[in-house]
Amino acid sequence: MKLMSLLDEEKEEENLREIARQKRLNEAAMKGSVTSLLELLQEDPDILKKATSSLSDTPLHIAVLLGHSAFAKQLLTQKPELATELNIHGYSPLHVAATKGCVEIVKELLLVNPDMCLAKDRDGKTPLHLGAIKGRVEVLNELIQVRPEATRALTGGGESGLHLAVKNNRLGALKVLVESVRKDDQFVNWRDSEGNSVLHIAVARKQLEMIKYLLTDTKIEVNARNANGFTALDLLLHSQRDLRDMEIKDCLQKAGASRMISKAQSIANNQDIVEVVPPIQVQPLILKETDSKPVVEKRKHTDWLGRKRSALMVVASLLATVAFQASLSPPGGVWQDDYSVDSDGNPAENPHKAGLSVMAYTDPRQYEAFMIMNTIAFLASLSVILLLISGLPMKRRRFMWIQMVIMWLAIAAFTSTYFVALIEITPRQVRTMLFHVTRISLIIWLGMMGLVFVGNVIRMILWLLRKYGYIKQKEEEYSLYVEDEENDE
């Protein structure tokens, strides 16, 4: 029994020493200390074999992740099999190196085991796929040079490296991959599990540079249809409007793009019939020269109104919230107790009740000014919010200008409450300096308000002149005058 107990104690001590060595090995990997690694190998030549007994990160994974190339090279020299070890995510050291962009380590790993170019992680991605996602151009060049067939590897979702490069807007990575399959037009037009080519993805994500490259430097099928029967141009017309839409559509049409022929179709998916909504009939973004101006002006008008409505809603909501809070917590706070009699039982000289504003008792005039301005700001903000959510047909510029004027009033009133509160909470001995700063700030603020007011008055005058045709008439008279001068010459 004593012998068994001694053996168990020795085994336990050995396990503890092994755990300590493994911890030192991981610390050496984190620091990239080759000296510490060699010392550990002298103590236990089999330490690297024991380091690969689980699915956790090996010392090589750690070294690659932190970019310690010398340490990684020494590990591969001592135990080349570490290059094939996978961690719990299915990543090999080459996956990690490709993601981090460590070109030197990638070269060392490829020298040891070039077949790891085709190894897939749990998501079905190869090191090349991860390099394409991160845009590691130099890494991609190394991987393709060693294993050209790695370019044609697909993920679990049927995506190629080209799809991943476009999805993540990695133009440099896309160019490298396209050059590696330059003679294979079929692969350039490869479609993922949803039937989308790289052009579909680029158009859906409004990646203009990607689109230009695919249309000019590759033999991409511009009218290819995805699983729902949509071409790239269909996706553009069904997507949310963007400033780049006109240029993208121009590029597609120059390349011969067209919309899908059928207006509706049905597709079977999991034994259910899903009807594809027919394309919305929209005005073309590129029209004849005589017809383009009204459409563009209408679209700019709509975009302007939408942006202004969103901005007004955000500002009005913020001002209403702050004004409401200021009314509940005025400067100086509120009384925390009732005070009607003094300590002798006599009526108090300045009685007060709990919950009432301290400022209303100590400085009634300032309190009145504060609450009046705060109430104006609060009600003006609520008025704008009410108008925006009322559902009334207030989609004209003049109505939007009215709401903007209301917001100016709210902002001006709220600024006044700030100055009143600032003066109230400032001790009297430092108010002199505060008055100077406040005066300068107020002058600057009034100047800004004046500029905004004058600018909008000018805009309104110009709008009225255009509405009643005065400006147009003057322009016509000027053009006739110029023509007469030219004829006289």
Side-chain angles (χ1 to χ4, degrees):
M1 292 294 293
K2 291 183 178 180
L3 180 60
M4 292 294 294
S5 177
L6 289 173
L7 290 175
D8 290 340
E9 289 179 2
E10 290 180 0
K11 187 176 181 179
E12 185 177 354
E13 290 178 0
E14 180 60 28
N15 289 335
L16 291 174
R17 285 194 294 269
E18 181 60 33
I19 293 173
R21 282 195 292 267
Q22 291 295 333
K23 184 178 179 181
R24 287 168 56 195
L25 178 60
N26 288 334
E27 290 176 353
M30 294 178 67
K31 295 178 181 178
S33 176
V34 178
T35 304
S36 300
L37 173 61
L38 295 176
E39 291 176 356
L40 287 168
L41 287 171
Q42 287 180 355
E43 294 178 17
D44 185 0
D46 296 330
I47 189 171
L48 293 180
K49 293 181 180 179
K50 301 170 185 176
T52 60
S53 60
S54 66
L55 290 177
S56 60
D57 288 331
T58 66
L60 183 57
H61 283 95
I62 298 173
V64 172
L65 180 63
L66 298 176
H68 300 315
S69 57
F71 190 91
K73 185 177 180 180
Q74 186 64 39
L75 285 174
L76 291 172
T77 302
Q78 298 292 334
K79 186 174 175 57
E81 294 82 2
L82 285 172
T84 61
E85 293 292 332
L86 306 179
N87 64 8
I88 194 171
H89 301 292
Y91 290 164
S92 69
L94 187 58
H95 282 88
V96 180
T99 304
K100 299 297 293 183
C102 304
V103 182
E104 293 183 8
I105 300 179
V106 168
K107 292 179 180 179
E108 294 295 333
L109 291 169
L110 292 176
L111 288 175
V112 174
N113 194 333
D115 292 334
M116 293 306 295
C117 285
L118 303 175
K120 293 186 177 181
D121 60 15
R122 290 196 172 185
D123 296 326
K125 293 185 177 68
T126 66
L128 183 138
H129 291 146
L130 298 181
I133 291 173
K134 294 294 184 178
R136 311 299 187 188
V137 175
E138 295 183 3
V139 171
L140 293 177
N141 283 322
E142 293 294 331
L143 295 173
I144 294 170
Q145 184 177 358
V146 174
R147 282 289 185 269
E149 62 271 23
T151 307
R152 293 173 172 78
L154 303 176
T155 66
E159 296 174 311
S160 67
L162 282 72
H163 286 85
L164 298 175
V166 174
K167 273 189 173 182
N168 293 275
N169 199 20
R170 308 294 186 183
L171 182 58
L174 177 65
K175 291 181 178 180
V176 172
L177 296 175
V178 169
E179 288 298 324
S180 67
V181 292
R182 175 64 69 181
K183 298 180 181 179
D184 190 355
D185 297 335
Q186 184 177 359
F187 188 76
V188 174
N189 289 284
W190 183 266
R191 304 179 196 179
D192 60 17
S193 58
E194 297 179 355
N196 290 315
S197 67
V198 289
L199 183 61
H200 283 101
I201 297 173
V203 171
R205 295 172 181 263
K206 308 296 179 68
Q207 294 167 346
L208 182 58
E209 296 300 321
M210 290 278 190
I211 296 169
K212 289 181 178 179
Y213 172 74
L214 291 171
L215 294 176
T216 57
D217 291 11
T218 68
K219 294 182 179 179
I220 194 76
E221 294 179 9
V222 69
N223 288 317
R225 300 184 184 184
N226 61 14
N228 291 329
F230 292 108
T231 64
L233 187 57
D234 292 323
L235 291 178
L236 177 67
L237 297 179
H238 282 79
S239 62
Q240 293 183 352
R241 291 295 179 242
D242 192 275
L243 295 176
R244 295 162 290 186
D245 283 2
M246 296 182 68
E247 191 170 356
I248 292 174
K249 183 176 180 182
D250 187 32
C251 293
L252 291 172
Q253 288 183 332
K254 286 181 179 179
S258 61
R259 303 185 62 183
M260 73 175 180
I261 299 174
S262 58
K263 295 298 180 182
Q265 65 178 15
S266 296
I267 57 174
N269 185 15
N270 295 330
Q271 298 181 351
D272 294 329
I273 302 301
V274 182
E275 183 173 353
V276 178
V277 180
I280 303 171
Q281 298 297 324
V282 297
Q283 292 283 351
L285 298 178
I286 305 296
L287 302 175
K288 295 181 180 179
E289 185 177 356
T290 56
D291 300 332
S292 60
K293 185 176 180 180
V295 176
V296 173
E297 287 183 351
K298 182 178 180 180
R299 182 173 170 185
K300 288 182 178 178
H301 175 73
T302 304
D303 293 343
W304 182 87
L305 286 176
R307 291 195 301 271
K308 288 298 181 183
R309 288 172 64 88
S310 300
L312 285 175
M313 177 61 77
V314 172
V315 175
S317 301
L318 180 61
L319 285 181
T321 303
V322 177
F324 178 78
Q325 185 64 33
S327 65
L328 298 181
S329 302
V334 296
W335 296 110
Q336 302 298 316
D337 58 349
D338 292 333
Y339 179 67
S340 56
V341 294
D342 57 18
S343 58
D344 298 330
N346 299 320
E349 185 178 354
N350 296 310
H352 59 255
K353 291 185 177 181
L356 297 182
S357 173
V358 176
M359 183 180 177
Y361 285 85
T362 59
D363 199 342
R365 296 184 61 184
Q366 293 281 35
Y367 178 77
E368 289 177 2
F370 178 85
M371 280 302 174
I372 290 173
M373 294 301 174
N374 191 68
T375 303
I376 292 174
F378 181 67
L379 293 179
S381 302
L382 289 184
S383 301
V384 172
I385 295 174
L386 181 62
L387 290 173
L388 290 173
I389 66 174
S390 63
L392 296 176
M394 303 181 66
K395 296 183 178 180
R396 294 179 177 273
R397 285 179 179 264
R398 65 175 71 94
F399 296 127
M400 190 59 62
W401 285 343
I402 292 173
Q403 296 177 64
M404 289 171 60
V405 171
I406 297 175
M407 284 309 304
W408 297 340
L409 177 63
I411 293 172
F414 201 74
T415 305
S416 300
T417 64
Y418 169 79
F419 285 118
V420 172
L422 186 64
I423 293 172
E424 181 65 22
I425 65 176
T426 303
R428 295 183 180 278
Q429 57 267 27
V430 295
R431 283 188 181 181
T432 303
M433 177 62 68
L434 179 63
F435 281 133
H436 291 299
V437 175
T438 303
R439 188 181 298 109
I440 296 173
S441 302
L442 189 59
I443 292 173
I444 296 174
W445 170 255
L446 292 175
M448 292 179 61
M449 292 289 291
L451 287 176
V452 173
F453 177 76
V454 171
N456 280 274
V457 168
I458 293 174
R459 288 178 61 186
M460 182 175 293
I461 293 173
L462 293 175
W463 176 77
L464 290 172
L465 292 176
R466 290 192 185 95
K467 181 178 180 180
Y468 293 103
Y470 182 78
I471 291 181
K472 185 176 181 181
Q473 180 181 356
K474 290 296 182 181
E475 290 176 350
E476 291 177 353
E477 292 177 357
Y478 177 75
S479 60
L480 291 174
Y481 170 78
V482 172
E483 290 180 0
D484 291 339
E485 290 290 332
E486 291 177 350
N487 292 334
D488 293 340
E489 292 178 358

